[in-house]
Amino acid sequence: MSQAPSAGAAIPKAQFDTRPLWLLAAVMAAGAALVGSGSTWLTLTVAGLAMGLIVFIIASGLTLVFGLMDVLNFGHGVFIAVGAFVATSVMGGMADWTGSASLGANLVAVGAAMAVAMAVAGAIGLVFERLIVRPVYGQHLKQILITMGGMIIGEELIKVIWGPAQIPLPLPEALRGALLLGDAAVERYRLLAVVIGLGVFALLAWVLGRTKLGLLIRAGVQDREMVEALGYRVRHLFLGVFVAGSALAGLGGVLWGLYQQSVVPQIGAQVNTLIFIVIIIGGLGSTLGSFVGALLVGLVANYLGFVAPKAALFSNIALMMAVLLWRPQGLYPVGGR
């Protein structure tokens, strides 16, 4: 007869899979070998990390919504576009702050644009969830169709408010140009994007893994009836997740608009494809997977853009194919997907 484990026996913990991180290190090493010059490699690496972290911020909202709510929101791009256009209005109204040579004044203007963009995108996300997403919970095909329709309507409303033309979104004065690190030139704005992206990842990891709120959200996904029996309103928790994901998309829209230094009503739809590539590479619903996948996409695009510009046009698709051939469920698959 088998003996039951003793009460004091420790439950073995699953080992953390480091192979995707080694893949990230291998890509950086391959980039160094291809580029050759150390200063150029550093410039491209920081640029790639900045691009990847901006994409991660945008993708993290969609990852949260799918991973915790099982909702395929193809209308996520409308929140990106709203965030970018709100930034043009806020920063346009703070021209004295953005035109100042003071870094502090510039950061206040950018911070105000981010805060307002997140608030507006979150509010629109609340309406979007109640009117469009809620009637089709658990119906993936209908979710795809109705959320895509919502994004089209959102783009047309943006054209009504801000017009159909491209609007410039220039960088504030103190965030233009580059810092010299030895022989390497690193753009100031990209450093800011790296800091913000790492901060968002750390905050998400802490909330989902270390707080009671994150525990309730994850428990609601696994056993909704039990959580509701304990007196918690899972619907309200999930609504909060959707609003938070929309707000993150708005934040990402501000960063992406500043990265491009211009915005168009179709900016969300343009980024949507890249977002889904990142999510598929990382593993559907995995925040850590989206983080690593976004960094891989940013680094590969920048390295190939320097070494072989034509190959960079399809680098994202090639990377996704290579990862899926290695791991069909993505770098960090979520159980049950």
Side-chain angles (χ1 to χ4, degrees):
M1 296 178 61
S2 59
Q3 295 181 347
S6 61
I11 299 175
K13 294 183 179 180
Q15 290 187 343
F16 178 73
D17 188 358
T18 60
R19 285 175 290 181
L21 300 182
W22 283 111
L23 173 62
L24 187 61
V27 168
M28 296 175 70
L34 289 172
V35 173
S37 170
S39 59
T40 304
W41 175 82
L42 180 59
T43 300
L44 293 173
T45 299
V46 174
L49 292 175
M51 174 186 172
L53 286 167
I54 293 173
V55 173
F56 163 72
I57 292 173
I58 301 172
S60 62
L62 188 57
T63 300
L64 279 178
V65 170
F66 180 75
L68 300 177
M69 299 174 63
D70 196 28
V71 171
L72 287 170
N73 181 17
F74 276 64
H76 194 69
V78 72
F79 309 125
I80 302 168
V82 165
F85 274 91
V86 166
T88 63
S89 298
V90 173
M91 295 181 69
M94 301 180 70
D96 293 340
W97 295 74
T98 58
S100 170
S102 168
L103 177 61
N106 289 177
L107 292 178
V108 168
V110 173
M114 291 177 179
V116 176
M118 291 180 71
V120 173
I124 294 175
L126 175 64
V127 176
F128 197 91
E129 192 275 343
R130 287 185 176 274
L131 297 182
I132 296 179
V133 176
R134 183 170 294 184
V136 292
Y137 275 132
Q139 306 174 64
H140 286 165
L141 179 58
K142 290 184 178 180
Q143 287 171 6
I144 294 171
L145 296 175
I146 198 169
T147 54
M148 286 185 69
M151 186 174 71
I152 294 171
I153 294 172
E155 286 183 1
E156 296 305 313
L157 291 176
I158 287 173
K159 292 177 183 178
V160 171
I161 298 171
W162 282 281
Q166 177 176 290
I167 298 178
L169 184 59
L171 288 172
E173 188 66 32
L175 294 178
R176 298 174 187 173
L179 297 175
L180 293 178
L181 302 177
D183 294 331
V186 179
E187 293 185 25
R188 292 186 176 94
Y189 174 69
R190 295 179 191 264
L191 288 175
L192 176 64
V194 168
V195 172
I196 295 174
L198 291 176
V200 169
F201 173 69
L203 180 62
L204 285 175
W206 176 72
V207 169
L208 293 175
R210 299 290 182 178
T211 67
K212 181 180 179 179
L213 177 61
L215 175 63
L216 287 173
I217 292 172
R218 289 184 285 114
V221 175
Q222 297 297 325
D223 195 337
R224 178 171 183 155
E225 290 78 10
M226 179 60 70
V227 174
E228 289 183 337
L230 294 174
Y232 297 101
R233 303 293 293 272
V234 174
R235 175 178 292 182
H236 292 171
L237 289 173
F238 283 1
L239 177 60
V241 169
F242 196 93
V243 170
S246 304
L248 284 172
L251 172 60
V254 177
L255 292 169
W256 190 258
L258 288 169
Y259 182 79
Q260 300 287 341
Q261 299 194 46
S262 64
V263 298
V264 293
Q266 299 80 19
I267 187 173
Q270 293 170 356
V271 182
N272 250 2
T273 302
L274 185 60
I275 296 170
F276 278 99
I277 288 174
V278 166
I279 292 175
I280 292 170
I281 289 174
L284 296 177
S286 170
T287 301
L288 176 59
S290 292
F291 178 74
V292 177
L295 294 182
L296 286 171
V297 165
L299 290 171
V300 170
N302 276 269
Y303 291 148
L304 285 181
F306 179 80
V307 177
K310 291 184 178 180
L313 297 175
F314 56 86
S315 63
N316 298 329
I317 301 296
L319 176 63
M320 181 178 68
M321 291 175 60
V323 169
L324 292 182
L325 286 172
W326 174 41
R327 291 191 168 187
Q329 292 184 314
L331 296 176
Y332 286 103
V334 176
R337 292 288 176 208

